[in-house]
């Protein structure tokens, strides 16, 4: 029987995952000849042999693929036989640089962990051990294709033993691009805060343990940037870190050596365990056990019943956590609101006054990657920050017209929790978390990320999509570019972000609740209901009642100001004499409040659910001033922990000029005077009231597809209560999971809105 020959093009996540050696071994096992190489969008290969062997190859290929790979499509065609004598792995072609899928960084696999602990292995305790199944990827890639010469490993020529592994198709390290060993790979060094080298290699690691035990702050060069480490049980070290980092209250993340170690201090569900041990190794918010106090000082997570926990994301983290044998604080290596450091010299300059010791290595980090953060809501993962371990995996778009999907757009996101996103061929490539665009350093990071994202995908966007807020740095950046632009209102982007995640483009009702969103009317929006007709129109159908924010931007950091505005809206001047306000304002400050509120000076109106949370937290005496975004709302949510009551407070719903308005005034009055309930019970009743408010509006509007988006829906209690009430009434409720409900998801929503407009013929590319 004559041989057949097939040419296959495999698109997907097939570079950097051991796919070529897998194809090599599978082809030989099926007695086929031919070749495989990295190519445009993935892999190209040709196989030749008996038809039964080719059929067996095609059947097994998707079933036995490498664990971290993702096959999007396999195109196959019959071509003339060539009579190859063997199967080979060819060098990458020039077209392979157009490959669009890049693998995130992967935590150590079981095989590498075993070698790391094996005293007979030549990589015993080597902090940079890896193979084709694990190790750095996105953090070290300069450009595609994913070959060693295009990574930060290009400066480390392999020794003879490593080269033999790298070129052996039967070896686990065949074409493992970050491959190395103590003889030829990256090396550790411990420095003081001035950059003086104290020790190298394992001696540097051992001295790091001593530094942590003595209460020192250690700056560690991690996977995607620097982290600051201290002993989680050392109160003095924690006080020092908070003072130096200028982070007085925001909780720190914790590094544990293993799942069993984390279970000693936290209650961990099956899903939470799965997230913790996944190759992404995110931070997961977990409920702390009372006995955690024996190992974790209260300064780690002030006032919070939860702990942010992660397991080792790299061999270096694994060695540190296992050898130290106690939980370590591992927080981002930066000052508050700044991007994390990735370069040794930069870290010494920016962190020299924070850290006492620097555990460095000489492998470049190409791009900064914060730790991703998740929590479980409604028995599903909820992404709070999407970065290391998840970026730059793409997100598929809803099924729209081919014309819409072929356009390439760049969305610039918002100015808080910024990320950017690029669309191409029906996929959205969202960048890692960038952060707040409030400093020159952050803007530089924003610029680099855009250049990096478009460069890796080799796409020049035809249109820029930006938030309509004229004061946003991202908006101003768009105005400086020579490209067509589209402005998308902030809460419209929130709605479409959740729609995009669920592949939805039809009619929808969005409940978009957050802290701040620009509106051309001058009102600070944040408690909005938006109705999308599935074609062209987004209608603003309902909102929370407005109230003034004395001090404007100051009210974001001072919940007491939101409380003052709320009470003033209810009862005018007399509200400023309320005992609740006397408790948190001096007499002179109250006089200033009178001037601002009665004169309408620097007191913009807001309809923000986020500010409503702030006001209630202040009125209940939980938080009058905050040092980080969302602090008051988090404290209010935590205070209701454990309360199962369905009690709620009254509210009013009015229709004014075809738009519904939710009046919170009856709720606030009842809450203030409710002496029959404990503080936790009142906090729970407030959450229940908000869920009832949402149900009331959704019932009046009648649209069955409901999408919950905005930073307020990071609140587990509110989200779960709202979703339950709506589903009980027959509504289909969609919540976030893959992307954050906060402003970290805005870029995705901007892109999805643009594509929906293009599908309707309302937006054309160049």
């Amino acid at each position: 029987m004559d041989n057949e020959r097939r040419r296959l093009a495999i698109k997907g996540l097939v570079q950097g995952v051991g796919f070529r050696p897998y194809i090599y071994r599978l082809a030989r096992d099926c007695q086929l000849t031919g070749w495989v190489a990295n190519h445009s969008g993935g892999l190209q290969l040709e196989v030749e042999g008996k038809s039964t062997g080719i059929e067996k190859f095609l059947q097994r290929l998707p079933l036995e693929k490498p664990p971290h790979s993702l096959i999007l499509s396999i195109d196959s065609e019959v071509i003339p036989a060539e009579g190859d004598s063997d199967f080979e792995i060819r060098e990458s072609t020039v077209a392979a640089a157009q490959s669009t899928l890049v693998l995130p960084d992967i935590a150590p696999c079981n095989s590498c962990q075993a070698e790391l602990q094996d005293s007979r292995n030549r990589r015993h305790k080597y902090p940079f051990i890896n193979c084709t199944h694990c190790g750095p990827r996105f953090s070290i890639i300069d450009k595609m294709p994913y070959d060693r010469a295009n990574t930060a490993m290009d400066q480390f020529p392999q020794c003879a033993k490593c080269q033999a592994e790298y070129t052996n198709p039967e070896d686990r390290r065949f074409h493992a691009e970050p491959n190395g060993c103590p003889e030829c790979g990256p090396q550790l060094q411990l420095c003081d805060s001035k950059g003086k080298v104290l020790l190298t290699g394992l001696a540097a690691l051992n001295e790091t343990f001593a530094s942590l035990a003595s209460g020192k702050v250690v700056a560690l060069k991690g996977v995607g940037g620097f982290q600051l480490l201290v002993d989680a049980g050392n109160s003095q070290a924690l006080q020092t870190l908070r003072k130096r980092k200028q982070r007085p209250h925001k909780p720190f993340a914790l590094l544990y050596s293993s799942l069993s170690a984390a279970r000693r201090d936290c209650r961990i569900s099956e899903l939470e365990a799965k997230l913790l041990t996944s190759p992404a190794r995110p931070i997961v918010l977990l409920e702390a056990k009372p006995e955690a106090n024996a190992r974790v000082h209260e300064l780690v997570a002030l006032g919070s019943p939860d702990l942010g926990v992660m397991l080792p994301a790299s061999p270096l983290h694994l060695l540190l956590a296992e050898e130290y044998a106690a939980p370590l604080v591992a927080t981002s290596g930066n000052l508050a609101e700044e991007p994390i450091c990735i370069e040794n010299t930069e870290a010494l300059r920016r962190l020299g006054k924070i850290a006492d010791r620097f555990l460095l290595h000489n492998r470049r980090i190409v791009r900064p990657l914060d730790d991703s953060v998740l929590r479980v809501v409604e028995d599903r993962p909820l992404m709070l920050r999407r970065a290391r371990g998840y970026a730059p995996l793409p997100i598929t778009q809803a099924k729209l017209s081919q014309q819409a999907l072929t356009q390439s757009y760049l969305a610039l996101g918002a100015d808080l929790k910024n990320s950017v996103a690029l669309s191409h061929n029906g996929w959205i490539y969202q960048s890692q978390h960038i952060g707040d665009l409030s400093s020159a350093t952050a803007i530089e990071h924003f610029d680099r990320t855009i250049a990096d994202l478009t460069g890796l995908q080799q796409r020049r966007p035809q249109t820029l999509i930006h938030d309509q807020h004229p004061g946003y740095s991202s908006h101003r950046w768009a105005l400086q570019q020579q490209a067509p632009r589209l402005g998308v209102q902030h809460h419209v982007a929130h709605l479409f972000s959740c729609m995009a995640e669920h592949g939805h483009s039809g009619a929808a009702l969005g409940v978009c609740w957050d802290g701040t969103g620009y509106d051309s009317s001058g009102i600070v929006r944040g408690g909005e209901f938006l109705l999308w007709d599935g074609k062209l129109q987004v209608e603003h159908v309902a909102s929370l009642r407005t109230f003034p924010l004395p001090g404007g931007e100051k009210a974001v950091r001072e919940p007491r100001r939101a409380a003052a505005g709320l009470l003033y809206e209810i009862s005018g001047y007399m509200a400023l004499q309320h005992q609740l306000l006397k408790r948190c304002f001096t007499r002179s400050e109250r006089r200033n409040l009178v001037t601002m509120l009665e004169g309408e000076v620097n007191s913009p109106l807001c309809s923000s659910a986020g500010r409503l949370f702030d006001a209630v937290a202040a009125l209940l005496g939980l938080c009058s001033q905050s040092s980080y975004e969302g602090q008051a709302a988090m404290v209010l949510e935590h205070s209701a922990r454990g309360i199962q009551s369905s009690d709620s407070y009254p509210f009013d719903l009015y229709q004014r000029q075809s738009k519904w308005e939710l009046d919170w005034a009856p709720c606030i009055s009842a809450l203030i005077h409710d002496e029959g309930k404990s503080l936790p019970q009142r906090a729970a009743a407030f959450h229940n009231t908000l869920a009832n408010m949402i149900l009331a509006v959704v019932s009046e509007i009648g649209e069955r597809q409901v999408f919950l988006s905005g930073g307020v829906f990071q609140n587990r209690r509110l989200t779960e209560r709202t979703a339950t009430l709506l589903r009980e009434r027959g509504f289909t409720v969609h919540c976030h999971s893959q992307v954050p409900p906060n402003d970290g998801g805005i870029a995705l929503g901007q892109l999805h809105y643009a594509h929906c407009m293009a599908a309707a013929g309302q937006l054309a590319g160049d």
Side-chain angles (χ1 to χ4, degrees):
M1 183 182 296
D2 293 337
N3 283 348
E4 289 186 10
R5 191 175 184 92
R6 293 279 189 99
R7 176 180 293 142
L8 292 93
I10 304 177
K11 293 187 177 182
L13 194 53
V14 291
Q15 294 191 26
V17 292
F19 216 100
R20 286 178 297 170
Y22 161 68
I23 291 291
Y24 174 91
R25 290 189 287 268
L26 181 60
R28 296 191 67 164
D29 194 45
C30 295
Q31 299 182 330
L32 303 177
T33 61
W35 55 268
V36 63
N38 285 336
H39 196 63
S40 175
L43 294 180
Q44 190 172 73
L45 60 138
E46 294 182 7
V47 289
E48 183 172 327
K50 294 181 179 179
S51 59
T52 54
I54 290 179
E55 289 306 313
K56 185 186 297 184
F57 176 87
L58 293 174
Q59 289 173 4
R60 292 174 58 184
L61 194 157
L63 299 177
E64 302 172 13
K65 63 183 179 64
H68 300 302
S69 63
L70 172 66
I71 296 176
L72 300 179
S73 65
I74 301 177
D75 295 326
S76 173
E77 63 174 317
V78 177
I79 59 175
E82 295 184 6
D84 297 322
S85 60
D86 202 353
F87 194 90
E88 64 175 336
I89 296 177
R90 292 184 176 177
E91 292 296 319
S92 301
T93 64
V94 173
Q98 299 171 22
S99 178
T100 55
L101 297 187
V102 181
L103 194 68
D105 298 88
I106 305 171
C109 67
N110 291 336
S111 297
C112 282
Q113 289 188 49
E115 291 178 352
L116 193 67
Q117 304 300 338
D118 185 356
S119 59
R120 299 165 297 178
N121 192 282
R122 69 190 187 95
R123 292 187 175 89
H124 178 230
K125 291 191 175 182
Y126 180 56
F128 307 98
I129 189 172
N130 67 86
C131 68
T132 52
H133 303 306
C134 67
R137 297 292 191 274
F138 188 45
S139 65
I140 65 168
I141 295 172
D142 281 308
K143 59 183 179 180
M144 295 298 285
Y146 180 62
D147 291 331
R148 190 179 181 96
N150 296 333
T151 73
M153 290 300 295
D154 62 343
Q155 61 183 305
F156 299 101
Q158 296 182 88
C159 66
K161 290 181 179 178
C162 287
Q163 187 66 31
E165 296 168 334
Y166 184 82
T167 55
N168 179 6
E170 304 296 335
D171 195 283
R172 194 174 92 251
R173 293 187 169 88
F174 178 67
H175 277 271
E177 307 305 345
N179 192 33
C181 71
E183 182 180 331
C184 64
Q187 302 293 324
L188 285 180
Q189 61 179 24
L190 184 69
C191 300
D192 63 16
S193 60
K194 302 296 184 183
K196 178 184 177 182
V197 178
L198 304 176
L199 292 165
T200 60
L202 286 180
L205 193 62
N206 292 331
E207 180 58 29
T208 299
F209 303 142
S211 296
L212 290 167
S214 66
K216 287 184 170 59
V217 179
V218 175
L220 168 73
K221 189 177 184 181
V223 177
F226 277 80
Q227 295 170 312
L228 297 167
L229 309 182
V230 296
D231 187 317
N234 189 320
S235 62
Q236 187 58 52
L238 288 162
Q239 288 175 4
T240 299
L241 178 59
R242 287 201 175 279
K243 182 178 180 180
R244 292 178 182 175
K245 189 174 161 62
Q246 299 173 24
R247 185 166 159 175
H249 303 113
K250 191 174 182 180
F252 289 133
L254 291 173
L255 173 66
Y256 282 84
S257 60
S258 65
L259 184 61
S260 59
R263 285 192 193 277
R264 289 198 298 267
D265 292 340
C266 301
R267 294 184 173 91
I268 304 177
S269 69
E270 184 178 341
L271 176 55
E272 288 166 339
K274 186 177 180 180
L275 293 172
L276 283 168
T277 57
S278 71
R281 293 293 199 274
I283 297 170
V284 181
L285 301 188
L286 305 171
E287 182 181 354
K289 295 179 179 178
E291 51 266 38
N293 292 334
R295 287 167 292 275
V296 180
H297 195 274
E298 64 179 0
L299 285 172
V300 169
L302 288 162
S304 173
D306 294 334
L307 295 174
V309 171
M310 61 180 158
L311 301 185
S314 75
L316 178 54
H317 286 88
L318 187 60
L319 289 170
L320 274 168
E322 289 190 340
E323 293 286 340
Y324 197 70
L328 290 167
V329 162
T331 188
S332 53
N334 57 1
L335 280 172
E337 312 303 335
E338 287 187 354
I340 57 173
C341 300
I342 61 172
E343 298 175 354
N344 293 354
T345 53
E346 174 198 21
L348 288 164
R349 174 175 56 83
R350 288 174 53 195
L351 305 179
K353 292 183 179 179
I354 300 177
D356 304 298
R357 294 287 183 268
F358 287 75
L359 186 58
L360 310 174
H361 59 76
N362 57 341
R363 185 178 68 201
R364 285 186 300 122
I365 298 174
V366 175
R367 59 188 57 79
L369 295 167
D370 285 276
D371 297 311
S372 295
V373 183
L374 294 94
R375 75 182 304 185
V376 172
V377 175
E378 282 210 298
D379 297 320
R380 299 177 65 210
L382 173 63
M383 189 75 67
L384 303 180
R385 184 169 71 196
R386 189 175 187 269
R388 180 190 52 73
Y390 295 92
L393 291 177
I395 300 166
T396 187
Q397 286 188 226
K399 299 301 181 185
L400 300 172
S401 70
Q402 189 59 36
Q403 184 272 337
L405 295 180
T406 54
Q407 303 301 319
S408 183
Y409 303 124
L410 176 67
L412 303 177
D415 270 22
L416 295 179
K417 296 179 173 61
N418 180 267
S419 69
V420 297
L422 180 73
S423 66
H424 174 53
N425 282 346
W427 291 88
I428 288 177
Y429 303 92
Q430 186 160 353
S431 77
Q432 68 275 26
H433 169 84
I434 296 172
D436 297 350
L437 305 184
S438 56
S439 67
T441 304
I443 296 299
E444 290 174 8
H445 181 19
F446 175 75
D447 281 331
R448 287 196 304 269
T449 302
I450 290 173
D452 185 43
L453 182 64
T454 55
L456 275 177
Q457 306 306 329
Q458 296 201 343
R459 301 301 303 174
R460 183 177 180 180
Q462 294 153 306
T463 304
L464 299 178
I465 322 294
H466 58 83
D467 194 284
Q468 288 181 342
H469 196 310
Y472 272 6
S473 297
S474 52
H475 186 155
R476 293 196 297 268
W477 189 93
L479 295 179
Q480 296 168 4
Q481 311 306 309
Q482 298 299 314
R485 297 181 298 274
L486 172 68
V488 181
Q489 199 275 332
H490 190 82
H491 298 105
V492 171
H494 269 307
L495 165 58
F496 278 78
S497 174
C498 197
M499 286 171 52
E501 186 171 337
H502 291 276
H504 185 87
S505 58
L509 176 63
V511 184
C512 304
W513 283 17
D514 61 0
T516 302
Y518 174 78
D519 185 80
S520 58
S521 68
I523 294 174
V524 179
R525 292 290 177 188
E528 316 312 311
F529 296 77
L530 305 177
L531 183 63
W532 161 246
D533 64 4
K535 299 174 183 177
L536 286 173
Q537 187 69 34
V538 179
E539 183 183 358
H540 189 193
V541 292
S543 179
L544 290 171
R545 175 182 173 180
T546 61
F547 62 96
L549 286 178
E553 285 292 324
K554 275 189 175 182
V556 177
R557 292 289 191 183
E558 298 182 28
R560 60 179 186 156
R561 292 178 178 270
L566 203 69
L567 294 181
Y568 182 83
E569 178 67 17
I570 295 174
S571 52
Y573 171 80
M574 292 304 297
L576 302 180
Q577 307 306 314
H578 199 290
Q579 193 61 37
L580 292 171
L581 296 184
K582 288 183 177 180
R583 186 178 61 210
C584 51
F585 287 101
T586 65
R587 182 176 297 178
S588 62
E589 285 175 329
R590 292 200 304 276
R591 283 198 295 267
N592 288 336
L593 286 176
V594 171
T595 301
M596 285 189 286
L597 290 168
E598 293 198 335
E600 298 182 359
V601 177
N602 193 21
S603 298
L605 292 178
C606 85
S607 62
S608 165
R611 300 290 81 81
L612 184 60
F613 264 93
D614 288 354
V616 171
L619 292 174
L620 291 178
L622 294 170
C623 182
S624 62
Q625 302 201 45
S626 60
S627 63
Y628 64 92
E629 186 196 7
Q631 180 180 352
M634 286 175 59
V635 172
L636 186 58
E637 179 189 0
H638 294 327
S639 69
R641 181 73 61 91
I643 303 298
Q644 301 301 321
S645 171
S646 60
D647 289 351
S648 62
Y649 295 118
F651 64 90
D652 288 326
L653 178 61
Y654 304 106
Q655 192 168 23
R656 300 181 188 278
Q657 298 178 346
S658 76
K659 191 174 86 170
W660 294 94
E661 181 176 282
L662 277 166
D663 188 355
W664 37 259
C667 167
I668 299 304
S669 296
L671 181 146
I672 291 173
H673 297 102
D674 190 0
E675 298 179 356
K677 290 187 178 70
S678 67
L679 192 151
Q681 289 172 329
R682 285 192 281 172
F686 173 70
H687 282 80
N688 293 340
T689 306
L690 294 182
N692 291 341
M693 285 179 167
I694 293 172
L695 174 62
V697 173
V698 172
S699 298
E700 290 291 350
I701 304 302
E703 170 58 49
R704 312 312 291 179
Q705 300 293 326
V706 182
F707 293 80
L708 308 182
S709 190
V712 167
F713 291 107
Q714 295 173 119
N715 183 311
R716 178 175 178 172
R717 188 180 194 94
L718 176 63
T719 301
E720 292 184 342
R721 179 66 178 169
T722 301
T724 297
L725 290 178
L726 291 173
R727 288 180 183 130
E728 287 175 350
R729 300 296 181 89
F731 295 97
T732 301
V733 183
H734 305 275
C735 303
H736 282 276
S737 183
Q738 296 181 66
V739 296
N742 59 45
D743 284 5
I746 286 290
L748 173 64
Q750 291 170 340
L751 282 182
H752 188 46
Y753 177 79
H755 279 280
C756 286
M757 290 296 101
Q762 298 301 302
L763 184 66
D766 269 352

